[in-house]
Structures are given as structure tokens and as C-alpha cells.
Amino acid sequence: MSKLTDGDQAHQIALRRLSVRARSCGELRQDLIDRHVEESLADQIVERCLRAGLLDDKKFAESWVSSRQRTRSMSAKNLRRELSAKQVSEDIITEAIAGGEDDIVLALDFARRRVSSLHRYDQETKTRRLSGQLERRGFSYSVIRQALEAVLDEPEIGILDTDE
């Protein structure tokens, strides 16, 4: 397939991609190249979008971190991996993650939300399941241990607690 060299058509592709969701500069450039836009033209389109204020890697990274931590309780390690895959610079990634929540806070919040769904299991099964869920979100062993100790040691509040 031949490379696309029409700037207006390439710009329309970029605008459609940006209308779906925010993207990093590197991600948009790669999208354009994947859609057979010449690399030099893709660079020009990305530059044009930057000048127009349609692209901002710093805002993109901050928004990505905030969203992923809020909706998925994702660790800094996993966020760093995702943003790197989206071709965000290491400096911007570090700054965005530093502005986000601390891993232990996220892990505790996640574990507290999930522990109630494990009420029918014994302590060992609860520990194993919660540990696995936290591990899949990229939390370190020490953070997982702290979260499990805090959450599994908390008294469960339920219908059967009738100590009055």
C-alpha cells in the first residue's frame, strides 16, 4: 500500500483520533504511521496539533494517572509501563506519577473495597485472593503485605454483629 502524502487528509485522521480520546504525541504519531502516513508528514501533523493545543503530553500523563488510579487502583509501576508504551517521556511520567496517589493508599483503598466480597472465605483464602488482585495491579510485595495486614486485621462490620 502506498504512503499517504496529503496533509489535509492526514490532519483529518489526526483530528478523528483525537476526538475519540486524548493521546500522547508519540501515540498520535504512531497512529498516523500505522495508517500509512509518511513519517515526515506525521511529524508535521503532530507539530501542528501541538501548536493548536490539541496535544500536551504533560496534561495527558496527569489525566491518565488520575483516571487509572481512580478507576483501577493501578500502581505507579504499572502506570509507568503504560505511559512508556504510549511514548511519553520519562521526565513527564515521573512528574505525573509523583502528583498521583501513593501506592499504599491505593492498595489499602482497593483491599478495603474487595474484602467484603470475600466474607465467605477463610482467612488464608482471603489473603491469597486479595494478594493476587493487588499483585496484578502492580503493587510491590511490601505494599501488598502492609495492605493485607491492615485490612484483614480490621474488624468486619456485618449484619451478624449484634454486640450491644
Side-chain angles (χ1 to χ4, degrees):
M1 183 170 220
S2 64
K3 292 284 186 179
L4 178 65
T5 58
D6 179 14
D8 289 336
Q9 199 173 4
H11 190 250
Q12 290 302 313
I13 292 170
L15 292 177
R16 279 194 308 273
R17 300 299 290 158
L18 290 171
S19 71
V20 173
R21 70 166 174 82
R23 297 179 189 281
S24 69
C25 294
E27 188 179 17
L28 180 62
R29 181 181 184 278
Q30 190 60 52
D31 279 352
L32 291 169
I33 291 169
D34 290 347
R35 294 183 184 282
H36 307 292
V37 174
E38 282 188 358
E39 287 188 34
S40 61
L41 181 56
D43 291 337
Q44 291 172 13
I45 298 298
V46 167
E47 188 60 39
R48 186 174 170 187
C49 290
L50 275 168
R51 284 193 309 269
L54 299 174
L55 288 175
D56 184 339
D57 277 0
K58 184 177 178 185
K59 285 182 184 175
F60 171 78
E62 290 169 353
S63 173
W64 188 266
V65 166
S66 172
S67 172
R68 301 297 266 186
Q69 285 182 335
R70 185 179 62 257
T71 60
R72 299 207 177 168
S73 299
M74 195 170 280
S75 71
K77 180 179 102 180
N78 279 7
L79 289 168
R80 184 173 299 281
R81 184 180 42 76
E82 284 187 353
L83 288 170
S84 288
K86 295 188 177 305
Q87 301 177 26
V88 176
S89 76
E90 197 59 39
D91 294 340
I92 291 174
I93 293 172
T94 300
E95 190 176 322
I97 289 174
E101 290 285 333
D102 189 37
D103 273 1
I104 189 64
V105 173
L106 290 167
L108 276 168
D109 181 53
F110 177 81
R112 284 187 178 120
R113 283 184 284 136
R114 293 297 170 107
V115 74
S116 63
S117 67
L118 302 172
H119 68 278
R120 65 183 170 272
Y121 298 109
D122 60 73
Q123 194 74 352
E124 182 182 333
T125 304
K126 282 182 191 180
T127 301
R128 189 180 70 249
R129 287 185 177 215
L130 271 176
S131 177
Q133 291 173 350
L134 289 165
E135 191 176 335
R136 284 187 292 280
R137 281 166 176 71
F139 294 106
S140 68
Y141 175 74
S142 64
V143 168
I144 292 171
R145 186 177 41 74
Q146 289 176 48
L148 291 177
E149 285 174 0
V151 171
L152 295 176
D153 288 343
E154 290 176 353
E156 290 188 37
I157 300 171
I159 304 169
L160 301 176
D161 292 341
T162 55
D163 296 356
E164 294 183 35

